Amino acid sequence: MVSRCSCLGVQCPLLSLLLLAAWEVGSGQLHYSVYEEAKHGSFVGRITQDLGLELAELVPRLFRVASKTHGDLLEVNLQNGILFVNSRIDREELCGRSAECNIHLEVIVDRPLQVFHVDVEVKDINDNPPRFSVTEQKLSIPESRLLDSRFPLEGASDADVGENALLTYELSPNEYFVLDTINKKDKDKFPVLVLRKLLDREENPQLKLLLTATDGGKPEFTGSVSLLILVLDANDNAPIFDRPVYEVKMYENQVNQTLVIWLNASDSDEGINKEMMYSFSTLVPPTIRRKFWINERTGEIKVNDAIDFEDSNTYEIHVDVTDKGNPPMVGHCTVLVELLDENDNSPEVIVTSLSLPVKEDAQVGAVIALISVSDHDSGANGQVTCSLTPHVPFKLVSTYKNYYSLVLDSALDRERVSAYELVVTARDGGSPSLWATASVSVEVADVNDNAPAFTQSEYTVFVKENNPPGCHIFTVSAQDADAQENALVSYSLVERRVGERALSSYVSVHAESGKVYALQPLDHEELELLQFQVSARDAGVPPLGSNVTLQVFVLDENDNAPALLASPAGSAGGAVSELVLRSVGAGHVVAKVRAVDADSGYNAWLSYELQLAAVGTRIPFRVGLYTGEISTTRTLDEDDLPRQRLLVLVKDHGEPALTATATVLVSLVEGSQAPKASSRASAGVAPEVSLVDVNVYLIIAICAVSSLLVLTLLLYTALRCSAEPTESACGQVKPTLMCSSAVGSWPYSQQRRQRVCSGEPPPKTDLMAFSPSLPPCPVVDVDGEDQSIGGDHSRKVGYYIFLFLLCFMNNTFSYRIFSNIYQNISFLFTFHLCLNISSDTFVI
């Protein structure tokens, strides 16, 4: 112990030079070295500078150093980035007698997640002296032993490694023994006493020697043990083994009673002195005695307990064989048992530093988790390979030895797969191989990457007019494939102007349910089509949205009664007076009742009925069901009353039907009373008795109209022949022209302004809007657009002139004679047009 203290005194000035730090870059990792027993705060390396990190970003990026088992030995100063010794490092405590001793550190920084691996090699210093297991070794040696007899001694052990653990032995000076050493397989030596002078028990019954062991460190350390040699009197020959050292190789995990070796010793003596007993030497420690058993009689050594390569891969067993002589003589040998590794340890998988959940817009290559694997076996049995569940958008990337990173390999889509159950499998290289698995649940976090979507881009809604205010007319619904707030959809109107008013004064939409409400009663006569857009927006950041178009058609209801038009003979809604000669024949048109209905369709289709003043009354007049013309049913005679009051009921075809009543006062006059009608003719009504006075005007008018008609036909033909023919395709159907026919007339033949509020140009004036069960005719617009002929100039001119003639003749002449001529000419002209307009029908 004195020599040890002196060596420690030499060690003290060496501690100031213990730190030897060097770094190298290999596969992106750092390697430092430091001597054990370094003082607290001793410099190891400038780790942040070597890793390429800035000092200012250490705290924001959560710089930290982690180690599986030795996390407190080394620390990093975040102010200067220096790796220093934080607590006492004892190499022997960390690694035992292993040739290599490393402290593995994981340096982790976030934003983005990066992992660096640092190995710090702990170098050995000569801080442990050689030690013997006992303070005194006893040897019993018969005095009859021959010169050069060898007696093995228990050697010393040194907890250091390398040169610091290489021991040399020295024996105190004496005249009987010299010291020899036997080299072991691991370069260690154990001492052997060699007899150089015969012993004489009577002269020296015992000898005391000192055995000193010195290590190879600088400074040197020594240890010593006392040798007490008892000289025995008796047996001449000691048992001898075949060889002094036996080497045995066997696999670990052998069952109990498995034979390790069968020792064989011989003794040259006879009789009882030749009988031998085998036993473990007193040098064998208790741990080896528990694992092996020796047969005292046969020398068989068998396994007695579990032998594990991972606990110890070699066993040194000292065996003595003793004869039964008196005194007994002992032979010695050493059995070196080397265990061979078996693949009896499955790999271990540890998953750390999970960055979950993972956003679906995470970049490819983002680190999800850190994975480390280990296997306690050695060689191929300890070589581990890792694999991941196939067909997933992740992969394993090896970062350092048995360390892996789980990274994103391809883009994620939460709407397709919202979570992944990954299985990491670690498999060793043994035969058969063993494996272990670890599950990693990766949840994909939603980002707002899907806009709300409607099932249709446009909806058509039909609403009856005169609806109650606030009534629900439709519900829009949009679906968002995202989750949570990114899927919360709210609805709103895309505001615009509808004529002079804002869209929000007509309709509103509930922000949450998407229900569309009409805020006021809609009027078909004012607004036939209301077209607007509803917007759907989610609650994501930034919000996404889409629009859908709603076309609300206001359906007509029969809410307008027929209205009588004013006539020259009387005001609108008042009685009309007409003079009729008694000499007129049957079928003579007396008057015509004109009425219009503000509704459309069947609700505006008017019919006329003549109401009888009393049951059984016979009147010589009738009214056209659809024309409203009042004509005679027979020749008038003297029995007919001179003044007759006719009631004409005007009725539409709505449900329920609405009516209006017109009163016509018919006065029957003789031919001699014709001059009395002159006063009425001045007011614009010309009875048949005054036809002679206007014949000249009629002839002039007929000639003018005929000339214009002929000129129109010639001009139309010339322009048609000179124009390039163009293909026509009927597009969207617009209001179709339809005039009087045998089935009646639509009283809406005069001009009416119809407003269609859909964001289009200002409304146009249409002439007519119905076509009963016939193929679509060419569309003629009063503003001059020819939709079905594609803008053919010649046809436009023809239509303009023809429409002018129709309106002129219809509103100017009402005489029967001219009506007949007008109808014939109109029929011929229309027939000619219908032959030249493809397959469309133009109905007169």
Side-chain angles (χ1 to χ4, degrees):
M1 297 301 294
V2 175
S3 62
R4 171 173 169 78
C5 292
S6 63
C7 289
L8 287 174
V10 178
Q11 180 185 1
C12 294
L14 182 63
L15 291 178
S16 60
L17 300 176
L18 288 178
L19 298 177
L20 175 61
W23 69 279
E24 60 182 7
V25 178
S27 301
Q29 311 303 324
L30 295 180
H31 181 83
Y32 297 105
S33 61
V34 62
Y35 282 106
E36 65 174 329
E37 303 295 343
K39 294 180 179 180
H40 174 76
S42 298
F43 174 88
V44 177
R46 300 186 182 275
I47 187 170
T48 56
Q49 178 180 340
D50 297 338
L51 291 176
L53 300 175
E54 298 294 334
L55 292 177
E57 66 181 357
L58 297 184
V59 174
R61 294 188 64 184
L62 303 178
F63 180 94
R64 56 195 183 276
V65 177
S67 177
K68 287 184 179 179
T69 55
H70 314 299
D72 59 341
L73 298 180
L74 299 171
E75 278 294 339
V76 175
N77 188 332
L78 297 181
Q79 296 180 353
N80 54 24
I82 293 177
L83 180 66
F84 64 94
V85 177
N86 186 49
S87 60
R88 176 177 175 268
I89 301 176
D90 188 350
R91 187 186 186 282
E92 289 72 31
E93 181 181 345
L94 290 177
C95 306
R97 300 201 61 186
S98 175
E100 294 182 1
C101 185
N102 293 311
I103 299 176
H104 180 73
L105 304 177
E106 290 182 9
V107 179
I108 304 173
V109 292
D110 293 336
R111 305 189 186 110
L113 179 63
Q114 290 181 284
V115 181
F116 304 93
H117 297 275
V118 179
D119 275 341
V120 179
E121 180 186 359
V122 180
K123 292 190 174 183
D124 183 54
I125 63 172
N126 193 23
D127 59 338
N128 291 283
R131 295 179 183 274
F132 291 91
S133 61
V134 294
T135 57
E136 183 180 76
Q137 295 186 29
K138 294 181 179 181
L139 287 84
S140 295
I141 302 176
E143 60 178 332
S144 59
R145 292 298 295 266
L146 300 177
L147 295 177
D148 295 326
S149 295
R150 303 172 70 86
F151 306 96
L153 303 174
E154 178 189 7
S157 61
D158 195 322
D160 296 320
V161 295
E163 295 292 332
N164 296 329
L166 292 179
L167 302 179
T168 58
Y169 295 92
E170 183 178 3
L171 187 63
S172 59
N174 67 91
E175 58 181 333
Y176 294 99
F177 296 94
V178 295
L179 188 66
D180 193 10
T181 57
I182 297 177
N183 294 327
K184 293 194 294 186
K185 188 175 182 179
D186 55 357
K187 297 183 180 180
D188 285 345
K189 302 176 180 179
F190 60 90
V192 177
L193 287 178
V194 180
L195 184 61
R196 291 301 184 191
K197 181 180 179 182
L198 294 175
L199 297 174
D200 187 356
R201 182 179 180 278
E202 287 70 24
E203 183 179 349
N204 290 309
Q206 63 180 21
L207 297 174
K208 288 188 176 180
L209 303 177
L210 182 65
L211 178 63
T212 303
T214 305
D215 62 24
K218 297 295 182 179
E220 296 177 345
F221 283 91
T222 61
S224 61
V225 62
S226 296
L227 302 178
L228 177 60
I229 301 174
L230 301 176
V231 181
L232 302 178
D233 189 25
N235 217 351
D236 294 329
N237 296 289
I240 300 174
F241 287 97
D242 297 339
R243 44 186 151 168
V245 177
Y246 295 88
E247 294 183 1
V248 178
K249 292 183 178 181
M250 62 185 304
Y251 283 101
E252 63 174 331
N253 302 324
Q254 298 291 336
V255 298
N256 290 346
Q257 303 304 312
T258 299
L259 179 65
V260 177
I261 192 174
W262 197 331
L263 298 176
N264 185 25
S266 60
D267 193 321
S268 301
D269 293 329
E270 296 292 338
I272 193 171
N273 292 331
K274 192 174 183 179
E275 295 179 6
M276 297 173 293
M277 294 179 60
Y278 297 90
S279 62
F280 290 133
S281 170
T282 56
L283 305 177
V284 176
T287 56
I288 296 180
R289 292 176 180 270
R290 286 195 300 268
K291 291 183 178 295
F292 299 94
W293 171 83
I294 188 170
N295 190 318
E296 295 180 353
R297 187 174 59 85
T298 62
E300 293 176 295
I301 298 178
K302 295 183 179 180
V303 175
N304 192 49
D305 198 0
I307 51 176
D308 191 351
F309 176 87
E310 287 70 40
D311 292 340
S312 177
N313 58 359
T314 58
Y315 294 94
E316 184 176 313
I317 306 174
H318 298 280
V319 179
D320 293 342
V321 58
T322 307
D323 61 21
K324 294 183 179 181
N326 189 15
M329 301 191 71
V330 181
H332 309 277
C333 75
T334 301
V335 178
L336 298 177
V337 179
E338 180 181 356
L339 294 183
L340 303 178
D341 185 42
E342 280 191 336
N343 193 22
D344 58 341
N345 291 280
S346 298
E348 295 180 359
V349 184
I350 301 176
V351 181
T352 58
S353 301
L354 292 174
S355 298
L356 298 175
V358 182
K359 289 188 175 182
E360 60 178 320
D361 61 348
Q363 297 294 323
V364 173
V367 178
I368 310 302
L370 303 179
I371 299 172
S372 61
V373 296
S374 61
D375 194 315
H376 294 298
D377 294 322
S378 62
N381 297 331
Q383 294 178 356
V384 182
T385 57
C386 269
S387 61
L388 190 63
T389 306
H391 311 301
V392 293
F394 303 93
K395 65 178 179 180
L396 291 175
V397 177
S398 177
T399 57
Y400 177 76
K401 292 182 179 178
N402 288 336
Y403 290 85
Y404 296 85
S405 293
L406 178 64
V407 301
L408 185 61
D409 189 38
S410 60
L412 299 175
D413 186 358
R414 190 206 65 82
E415 289 70 40
R416 187 172 60 88
V417 181
S418 60
Y420 294 88
E421 291 295 333
L422 307 180
V423 177
V424 180
T425 302
R427 188 180 299 271
D428 60 28
S431 180
S433 63
L434 301 177
W435 69 89
T437 60
S439 297
V440 181
S441 297
V442 179
E443 180 183 356
V444 182
D446 183 55
V447 297
N448 193 25
D449 58 346
N450 290 279
F454 294 93
T455 56
Q456 299 177 210
S457 60
E458 184 177 285
Y459 294 94
T460 300
V461 183
F462 296 91
V463 180
K464 290 185 178 181
E465 65 175 332
N466 303 321
N467 57 281
C471 74
H472 172 233
I473 62 174
F474 192 69
T475 300
V476 294
S477 179
Q479 302 297 325
D480 196 312
D482 293 320
Q484 298 177 355
E485 67 274 2
N486 295 331
L488 295 178
V489 180
S490 60
Y491 304 91
S492 62
L493 286 177
V494 179
E495 188 62 72
R496 66 177 185 84
R497 304 293 295 179
V498 179
E500 298 298 328
R501 300 168 59 181
L503 173 64
S504 56
S505 65
Y506 287 96
V507 292
S508 67
V509 60
H510 193 274
E512 296 179 0
S513 65
K515 291 184 176 181
V516 181
Y517 299 93
L519 299 180
Q520 63 181 15
L522 300 176
D523 189 356
H524 172 82
E525 289 72 40
E526 177 188 350
L527 189 66
E528 292 185 4
L529 172 62
L530 180 60
Q531 181 171 301
F532 58 93
Q533 288 188 329
V534 175
S535 174
R537 292 287 183 274
D538 58 31
V541 179
L544 301 178
S546 61
N547 295 343
V548 66
T549 300
L550 265 67
Q551 290 188 347
V552 179
F553 286 90
V554 182
L555 302 179
D556 182 53
E557 286 192 335
N558 194 24
D559 58 344
N560 291 281
L564 298 176
L565 297 179
S567 65
S571 60
V576 178
S577 298
E578 295 290 347
L579 296 180
V580 179
L581 294 175
R582 287 182 179 271
S583 59
V584 297
H588 176 74
V589 176
V590 175
K592 185 173 183 178
V593 178
R594 292 181 175 87
V596 295
D597 195 314
D599 294 322
S600 61
Y602 277 88
N603 295 329
W605 188 15
L606 302 182
S607 61
Y608 301 85
E609 298 178 7
L610 194 60
Q611 298 289 327
L612 298 179
V615 179
T617 304
R618 292 177 66 254
I619 56 175
F621 300 100
R622 66 179 178 184
V623 64
L625 180 60
Y626 298 110
T627 61
E629 293 181 346
I630 301 175
S631 60
T632 57
T633 59
R634 57 179 172 80
T635 302
L636 302 177
D637 53 30
E638 296 297 333
D639 295 334
D640 294 322
L641 297 177
R643 289 182 62 83
Q644 300 204 21
R645 183 184 181 89
L646 304 180
L647 297 178
V648 180
L649 181 66
V650 184
K651 181 172 62 175
D652 59 27
H653 286 69
E655 290 292 340
L658 301 179
T659 62
T661 303
T663 303
V664 179
L665 301 177
V666 179
S667 299
L668 304 182
V669 297
E670 299 294 339
S672 59
Q673 297 177 348
K676 298 180 180 179
S678 60
S679 61
R680 291 190 353 220
S682 63
V685 179
E688 287 187 1
V689 294
S690 61
L691 286 177
V692 178
D693 298 332
V694 296
N695 282 342
V696 176
Y697 300 104
L698 289 178
I699 294 172
I700 294 174
I702 292 172
C703 292
V705 171
S706 300
S707 300
L708 287 174
L709 179 59
V710 173
L711 180 60
T712 299
L713 293 176
L714 293 176
L715 180 61
Y716 170 74
T717 305
L719 292 176
R720 179 175 174 82
C721 294
S722 61
E724 288 290 336
T726 58
E727 294 182 3
S728 101
C730 289
Q732 183 178 358
V733 178
K734 289 191 176 180
T736 307
L737 179 65
M738 179 177 173
C739 300
S740 302
S741 69
V743 299
S745 66
W746 294 94
Y748 228 0
S749 57
Q750 50 184 329
Q751 297 176 356
R752 180 166 83 90
R753 299 181 64 85
Q754 301 181 4
R755 294 178 57 196
V756 179
C757 298
S758 59
E760 299 177 353
K764 301 178 181 180
T765 302
D766 298 335
L767 185 65
M768 198 59 193
F770 308 104
S771 178
S773 302
L774 293 174
C777 294
V779 178
V780 180
D781 193 292
V782 174
D783 290 344
E785 294 180 0
D786 183 355
Q787 299 295 338
S788 64
I789 304 179
D792 193 324
H793 180 67
S794 63
R795 300 193 182 194
K796 288 182 179 181
V797 174
Y799 292 156
Y800 272 114
I801 297 175
F802 178 63
L803 292 175
F804 169 76
L805 291 176
L806 290 179
C807 297
F808 175 78
M809 290 186 290
N810 187 52
N811 295 315
T812 305
F813 303 100
S814 61
Y815 298 105
R816 180 178 182 184
I817 184 173
F818 182 77
S819 297
N820 293 332
I821 299 174
Y822 154 69
Q823 290 178 3
N824 294 332
I825 294 175
S826 300
F827 175 79
L828 293 174
F829 180 74
T830 305
F831 179 76
H832 173 75
L833 287 180
C834 291
L835 292 177
N836 290 277
I837 304 179
S838 300
S839 61
D840 297 335
T841 303
F842 193 91
V843 183
I844 298 296

